[in-house]
Amino acid sequence: MKKKLLAVAAAGALTAATAVPALALENEFHGMFRLFGTVANYGQSNSSTGATSGSTLTAPELADNAPTRNFVEQRARLMYIAKANDDLKLVTHFEIDSRWGDSSYTNGRNVGGAIGADTVDIETKNVYLDFNIPSTPMNFKVGIQPFIDSYGGIFVNADIAGAQAIAKYAGFTNTLGFFRFTEAVGTLPGKADRDLFVADVKYDITKDIKLGGSYYLMHSDLVVTPGVGNPNAYTHMVGLNSSMKFDPVTLNVFGLYQFGDNPGPISSSNTGNAINTPATRNSKVDAYALGATAKAKLGPGTLKLAGIYVSGEQQTPAGAAGKDTGAFQAVAGESNFFAADMYILLRNKYNINSDRALVHTVSNVTGGFIGYDANITSKLFANVNVGAAWAAQVTNKGTASEPDSNYLGTELNAEVGYRLFDNMTASVLGAYVILGDFYQKTKGGTDNNFDDPYRASLMLNYAF
Amino acid sequence: MKNMVRFLLLALMLFSATASHAATIKVFVSEFSVTGAPNKDELKSTLQTLLASRLTNESVLSVDSPVGADVVVKGSYIVFGKVFSIDAVAKDQGGKVLARAFQQGESQNDLIPALGKLGQSLAGDIAAKVTPGAPEPTVTRPTVAPAPTDVVRPEPTTPDIIRAQDQTRTASGGWMSQRLSGTLSGIAPGRILSNDSREYFIVDANALRLYRKGDSLKLIAEVTFSPRERVIGIDSADLDGDGTPEAYLTMMDGETLASQVWVVANDTLKRVASKLPYYFRGIALDGKDYRIYAQQTSIGQDFYGDVYELVKKGDRFEIKSPIKLPRFGNLYNFNRFRDAAGASYPVVINEDGYIIVYSAAGEELWRSSDKFGGTDTYFKKDDTANVRTTGDPYRWIFLQQRITVTPAGDIIVPQNGGLFVVGNMRSYKKNSVFSFAWNGSTLDEKWHTKQSQSYLSDYFYDHDRKELVILEVVKKEGLIDKGASTVVVKKVE
């Protein structure tokens, strides 16, 4: 299947390259700059390079008498698109991140904010060719490109190397895709790797109802240690999704079922334990995710509702000792449910390098969220969100470490912003989480007495 | 003897040289004015030098100072897109125009040859009219012949000093309104009153205003909308046949199309329909009847399906008669014209700003080399799926400028230009309006308006009055400042 897909993609690229006339190049630029000034009482310590990286917010980040810290971080992105003609363009996308004061005169990503700056820190996010086959409804995207699943990103929302063939016709949008996540280091190229195959269909039943379905196949063959792990794990995902508009309400619902071989933790790492994942032979996965979001016009703004259930597993670690797992296997650090509009419970769409959340990788969570976005004037806006979340399953079941409750906590956040210019906003936001007993207490009587995590930020956001 | 011969020869040479010098006309070429070209300062003196050297012949001598010159030549160099025009006027010391001439070209390669031709032409005219050293030319020439119709000529230049009484008049005898507060985004014609004055519907993102044109624009009525609503377009037509045009406002309510229709009643604005799920645009397809057309949106597509004609039945508005669009076409960037044989040609401005002419079968026949259109009018839709990549939770959808087709089959399109147009950030600084005619193979330019140093946010062409009515943003909205706009009426003779 892989070879066929690649052959189709290569043939498509060749056809496009020979069919298109040579015309003047159009240069298209996009980009963004975001700056966060934050006061918070949670987050990891500096790494050895000074860089921050996103992660799940767990102990010891949560602490009794957690120290307050303040930091400023910034992110710039530049996208350059070289458009040869209506049917062919090269898309490139770069990123420059740093936290003020992190380090300088060095080489590495996410740094360069210390005095002196002068750091080689440009990251390449995307480089891909986007082309149409003239006189057909076919579009191809080939290269390192952004990809989000059809479920709001709960499985994967990342930049991945791969190829997509997309056909739009008669109300259909059909996609076939192949993505290579990782290769194990120290192996022959393409010998031990993790790939995702995508078949996705969307159909506009009416202008206000869209129905979609998809089948994802993950093949994990990262194992390099004989006798350890499952050398050929096939994990299947089938799902349905739908968007409907019943004025004034817009509704999205989705469900995704995951079954087959347990792929183990799906991460971007290709060293250490990752090269032997899935770590357990013959472990199976039987997991699912359900979600719904709704928006409705109300007063001067929009009322938002969202809910999600993503299955978990009681065993620790999930799928250990040859046992099957019920935990949904999302891509670690590359999945999200932005519709919740949380800052601490779940990842937020605006977070950058200090991105931390109680549920960072979408798994083992049940949540309900309600919010309201208000346009106070044409320039002044505000929003408020409340969300509560529970673990779908408590871990360490039957042991003294078993959490006293599956209640993760309740977050209240609010933002007030002003559109300084069409493309630029300045806003002040705050988020506070009342930690639940999933974190605070255990069945064994431990009372962690963690401080409730909070943050307050000033954000400047400029996008073009 | 030899010395005597040498002396005589030398004397003869000196005499002949002096006599020759005495017969030449001294011409001073002043510094050029340069418009629309980069390196302005450098070009001013370069062009001056080039023309001065090319003017010189046996009758005309270029001099370095206007003092003592018989003739002073002033030149201008104007660039529109890739086309340039060099114009020069020669005047005597009394300020009387002796000759005018121009040359044009389509690339920088044509510039020096054009200067050569211009110099020869001017030198000939000057030599024919001027008696060297005489205070007045003895021969008068008829005014310069009108330019052939296929030649680009800049409009007459605006006087250097505009006097107070001229402030409401454009160089072509048109009209200019006073400064209007706000960054206005759309204009549509309203009623023509008994005294022949015209009313205009003008919108910004949050208000509809009715102005009446007199010596200035007088605000007659105004309605404002909630911050959740956004006006993205205004058109007018008399669909109910009562003799009074209705205003068709394309509006977004949040992310929902919720357009409205307003009428004028006793100098007030009255809403007659709301929550209409259509984009509106007034179009005279094939240059025929001006009608309101509509298009819908869907969950997955910004512009969904065909374009329809909007009709009013009683109190209700319905859509009928679907029109298939060519590639890149949507309600806001397309029109259709017919050639002399009656063949129909859809025309669009694509997302990159190029005019594309299609055959009726949808085959692309021609594409402009220069970019046209250009707009800062947009609405946003939720784009959470791509926010991780774009950094913007919204997708911006820009609505292209109108393509007008006249009853004669000519095509009128505006052209906004600027320092930069990057992604969603538009910084249009100047505009011009162009007219084209289809010659069977390409669109030929017929005329264009003098470049204006403002962003053209909207316009309409009144064929009956032969007027271009242009809404210009003369100052963009700032952090605190609301910006300013003006309405300019230009005569198209």
Side-chain angles (χ1 to χ4, degrees):
Chain A
M1 184 174 180
K2 271 193 280 187
K3 285 180 181 174
K4 280 184 181 175
L5 265 176
L6 288 170
V8 168
L14 190 63
T15 308
T18 53
V20 294
L23 293 175
L25 198 72
E26 287 290 326
N27 301 305
E28 187 177 335
F29 294 91
H30 294 273
M32 61 155 279
F33 178 84
R34 184 176 302 147
L35 184 139
F36 263 123
T38 298
V39 176
N41 71 339
Y42 66 91
Q44 284 182 324
S45 304
N46 281 348
S47 69
S48 57
T49 65
T52 50
S53 58
S55 75
T56 300
L57 181 63
T58 56
E61 298 170 75
L62 298 171
D64 187 13
N65 295 318
T68 301
R69 74 282 325 247
N70 69 77
F71 55 91
V72 180
E73 54 186 342
Q74 65 177 58
R75 165 171 289 174
R77 282 183 180 165
L78 293 171
M79 177 184 277
Y80 168 67
I81 301 172
K83 193 171 180 180
N85 57 47
D86 295 329
D87 297 306
L88 175 62
K89 57 186 178 184
L90 174 70
V91 182
T92 60
H93 198 187
F94 308 98
E95 181 175 281
I96 306 166
D97 295 331
S98 58
R99 191 185 67 249
W100 290 8
D102 48 19
S103 65
S104 59
Y105 302 122
T106 185
N107 301 329
R109 57 188 293 269
N110 299 345
V111 290
I115 184 169
D118 284 9
T119 292
V120 181
D121 58 351
I122 293 182
E123 303 163 31
T124 301
K125 290 188 68 61
N126 304 133
V127 180
Y128 65 96
L129 208 56
D130 185 331
F131 60 92
N132 304 317
I133 304 297
S135 304
T136 75
M138 295 297 298
N139 168 262
F140 289 85
K141 292 181 174 62
V142 182
I144 303 168
Q145 58 190 288
F147 175 73
I148 181 170
D149 61 48
S150 296
Y151 305 88
I154 59 165
F155 171 64
V156 62
N157 182 5
D159 299 309
I160 324 175
Q164 291 189 81
I166 303 161
K168 291 185 178 180
Y169 59 94
F172 282 97
T173 303
N174 297 336
T175 303
L176 287 175
F178 162 75
F179 297 98
R180 173 144 293 174
F181 279 30
T182 48
E183 282 185 345
V185 294
T187 61
L188 292 172
K191 186 64 180 169
D193 43 47
R194 194 195 300 277
D195 300 330
L196 180 72
F197 298 86
V198 172
D200 192 273
V201 178
K202 291 186 176 62
Y203 179 63
D204 294 329
I205 296 173
T206 70
K207 73 182 181 67
D208 292 325
I209 299 177
K210 175 184 274 191
L211 187 64
S214 52
Y215 168 69
Y216 301 156
L217 169 63
M218 172 155 283
H219 175 242
S220 302
D221 189 19
L222 286 170
V223 175
V224 295
T225 306
V228 178
N230 193 342
N232 259 312
Y234 290 91
T235 310
H236 310 273
M237 285 158 271
V238 291
L240 289 174
N241 56 80
S242 178
S243 298
M244 292 162 278
K245 189 167 190 177
F246 306 107
D247 203 35
V249 178
T250 303
L251 182 66
N252 294 287
V253 294
F254 61 81
L256 185 59
Y257 177 52
Q258 200 172 51
F259 62 98
D261 297 326
N262 178 8
I266 309 169
S267 75
S268 57
S269 173
N270 58 0
T271 57
N273 289 334
I275 63 171
N276 284 321
T277 59
T280 305
R281 281 181 177 276
N282 303 322
S283 170
K284 300 292 183 186
V285 63
D286 185 10
Y288 58 98
L290 302 171
T293 66
K295 283 185 177 182
K297 288 175 282 184
L298 182 69
T302 305
L303 179 70
K304 305 171 298 181
L305 293 168
I308 190 172
Y309 174 83
V310 185
S311 61
E313 174 57 54
Q314 296 176 350
Q315 306 171 78
T316 301
K323 294 180 181 176
D324 299 340
T325 181
F328 186 80
Q329 303 295 310
V331 181
E334 308 282 6
S335 63
N336 54 257
F337 185 58
F338 289 151
D341 270 333
M342 295 286 102
Y343 282 94
I344 303 173
L345 273 183
L346 297 170
R347 300 175 70 189
N348 188 273
K349 59 180 176 282
Y350 289 125
N351 283 355
I352 49 181
N353 285 345
S354 65
D355 183 16
R356 280 164 179 73
L358 291 170
V359 180
H360 195 269
T361 299
V362 184
S363 185
N364 192 28
V365 62
T366 304
F369 314 93
I370 183 169
Y372 186 75
D373 294 345
N375 299 304
I376 299 167
T377 69
S378 60
K379 285 178 173 278
L380 185 65
F381 63 92
N383 60 69
V384 61
N385 299 281
V386 180
W390 294 261
Q393 297 288 341
V394 291
T395 51
N396 300 304
K397 190 76 174 177
T399 70
S401 301
E402 179 184 343
D404 195 42
S405 164
N406 61 356
Y407 173 51
L408 299 175
T410 297
E411 174 175 334
L412 172 67
N413 68 58
E415 178 189 13
V416 177
Y418 191 81
R419 290 186 187 89
L420 297 171
F421 305 101
D422 277 357
N423 305 63
M424 181 177 169
T425 59
S427 60
V428 178
L429 60 94
Y432 188 94
V433 169
I434 303 164
L435 272 184
D437 283 346
F438 180 87
Y439 296 102
Q440 298 287 31
K441 294 178 180 176
T442 67
K443 294 287 187 187
T446 302
D447 187 349
N448 291 316
N449 197 31
F450 292 150
D451 287 354
D452 291 335
Y454 67 83
R455 66 179 280 187
S457 298
L458 170 69
M459 178 173 68
L460 296 176
N461 198 43
Y462 169 57
F464 59 91
Chain B
M1 185 64 187
K2 282 184 180 176
N3 287 338
M4 179 65 74
V5 171
R6 284 175 185 163
F7 174 78
L8 286 173
L9 281 172
L10 183 60
L12 187 62
M13 287 170 67
L14 283 171
F15 176 78
S16 61
T18 308
S20 171
H21 184 251
T24 55
I25 304 161
K26 295 175 187 170
V27 178
F28 173 70
V29 180
S30 62
E31 201 172 65
F32 268 60
S33 67
V34 177
T35 306
N39 305 323
K40 279 185 181 178
D41 293 337
E42 195 176 317
L43 276 174
K44 285 176 183 175
S45 56
T46 304
L47 292 170
Q48 177 189 16
T49 307
L50 287 171
L51 182 60
S53 59
R54 281 155 181 76
L55 262 174
T56 302
N57 59 20
E58 65 277 7
S59 309
V60 176
L61 177 67
S62 289
V63 294
D64 293 336
S65 166
V67 178
D70 300 312
V71 177
V72 174
V73 173
K74 285 188 176 179
S76 66
Y77 174 61
I78 301 171
V79 178
F80 292 107
K82 292 178 180 174
V83 178
F84 71 81
S85 177
I86 311 172
D87 297 59
V89 57
K91 296 180 180 178
D92 64 17
Q93 291 292 14
K96 188 171 183 177
V97 174
L98 302 173
R100 286 181 190 274
F102 72 91
Q103 289 291 326
Q104 68 172 31
E106 294 187 350
S107 79
Q108 294 299 310
N109 297 334
D110 298 338
L111 182 56
I112 290 182
L115 273 166
K117 291 176 187 172
L118 183 70
Q120 289 172 11
S121 170
L122 270 181
D125 286 350
I126 291 168
K129 291 181 182 178
V130 180
T131 301
E136 290 280 337
T138 55
V139 179
T140 56
R141 293 266 296 180
T143 53
V144 66
T149 52
D150 61 342
V151 170
V152 178
R153 286 276 298 179
E155 294 294 317
T157 54
T158 308
D160 291 337
I161 298 171
I162 310 250
R163 302 187 185 284
Q165 62 266 32
D166 290 332
Q167 283 182 347
T168 60
R169 301 190 66 78
T170 67
S172 61
W175 179 88
M176 182 183 294
S177 78
Q178 76 277 22
R179 199 175 170 92
L180 304 173
S181 176
T183 306
L184 306 177
S185 57
I187 187 167
R191 297 179 297 179
I192 297 175
L193 305 179
S194 54
N195 61 0
D196 206 34
S197 69
R198 164 76 92 177
E199 289 182 341
Y200 300 121
F201 297 110
I202 296 180
V203 296
D204 64 18
N206 292 102
L208 165 66
R209 299 183 182 91
L210 177 67
Y211 284 97
R212 186 168 298 154
K213 180 180 169 231
D215 292 337
S216 63
L217 277 185
K218 182 182 177 186
L219 180 62
I220 305 299
E222 177 180 14
V223 289
T224 57
F225 304 101
S226 78
R228 201 180 66 191
E229 296 171 306
R230 183 180 180 89
V231 181
I232 57 174
I234 175 79
D235 293 272
S236 63
D238 180 18
L239 295 193
D240 57 11
D242 66 353
T244 304
E246 307 90 43
Y248 292 82
L249 269 73
T250 303
M251 295 182 64
M252 301 298 295
D253 183 359
E255 294 185 12
T256 304
L257 258 179
S259 298
Q260 302 184 359
V261 182
W262 292 73
V263 296
V264 180
N266 299 322
D267 283 353
T268 61
L269 289 163
K270 180 185 170 190
R271 186 168 59 195
V272 295
S274 62
K275 295 185 178 177
L276 299 172
Y278 308 116
Y279 301 104
F280 293 136
R281 175 145 278 188
I283 304 173
L285 284 179
D286 301 321
K288 294 180 179 174
D289 297 336
Y290 184 85
R291 294 174 178 155
I292 300 293
Y293 291 87
Q295 195 173 15
Q296 296 172 291
T297 187
S298 75
I299 286 180
Q301 298 176 49
D302 300 326
F303 297 98
Y304 175 81
D306 298 330
V307 163
Y308 294 83
E309 183 187 340
L310 186 77
V311 293
K312 188 175 184 189
K313 289 189 175 177
D315 292 336
R316 299 187 57 189
F317 289 91
E318 297 177 1
I319 53 176
K320 68 167 192 178
S321 308
I323 298 166
K324 294 287 181 194
L325 292 168
R327 190 183 186 198
F328 308 117
N330 63 55
L331 178 67
Y332 289 97
N333 70 355
F334 107 107
N335 205 324
R336 204 172 61 196
F337 67 88
R338 288 185 185 275
D339 64 11
S344 183
Y345 299 89
V347 56
V348 305
I349 301 177
N350 75 356
E351 65 175 1
D352 293 323
Y354 296 106
I355 300 174
I356 303 175
V357 177
Y358 296 92
S359 70
E363 179 194 359
E364 182 177 323
L365 299 177
W366 178 82
R367 179 181 293 228
S368 66
S369 297
D370 291 330
K371 295 186 178 190
F372 293 88
T375 178
D376 206 7
T377 300
Y378 65 89
F379 62 95
K380 295 180 182 179
K381 281 197 167 183
D382 180 85
D383 195 28
T384 306
N386 293 309
V387 66
R388 187 191 61 79
T389 302
T390 63
D392 192 336
Y394 299 101
R395 192 159 39 81
W396 298 46
I397 300 102
F398 287 86
L399 305 183
Q400 190 51 275
Q401 296 282 354
R402 301 172 195 274
I403 301 176
T404 301
V405 176
T406 70
D410 296 340
I411 294 160
I412 297 174
V413 291
Q415 182 187 55
N416 275 310
L419 292 178
F420 51 79
V421 179
V422 181
N424 296 329
M425 189 167 57
R426 309 289 168 101
S427 180
Y428 297 112
K429 302 281 189 187
K430 54 192 178 184
N431 80 81
S432 186
V433 179
F434 285 74
S435 174
F436 295 96
W438 181 247
N439 65 11
S441 298
T442 65
L443 284 178
D444 266 349
E445 184 187 332
K446 294 186 74 175
W447 52 260
H448 61 254
T449 61
K450 189 183 76 170
Q451 196 172 68
S452 170
Q453 299 294 310
S454 302
Y455 160 62
L456 179 153
S457 58
D458 198 8
Y459 82 101
F460 69 85
Y461 174 62
D462 186 334
H463 180 71
D464 294 335
R465 295 185 170 210
K466 298 285 190 295
E467 286 179 350
L468 266 177
V469 181
I470 297 170
L471 182 62
E472 291 186 345
V473 175
V474 295
K475 185 180 181 188
K476 286 201 77 173
E477 184 180 17
L479 192 57
I480 301 169
D481 194 344
K482 288 183 176 178
S485 307
T486 188
V487 175
V488 180
V489 179
K490 295 186 177 180
K491 289 286 185 186
V492 181
E493 301 296 349

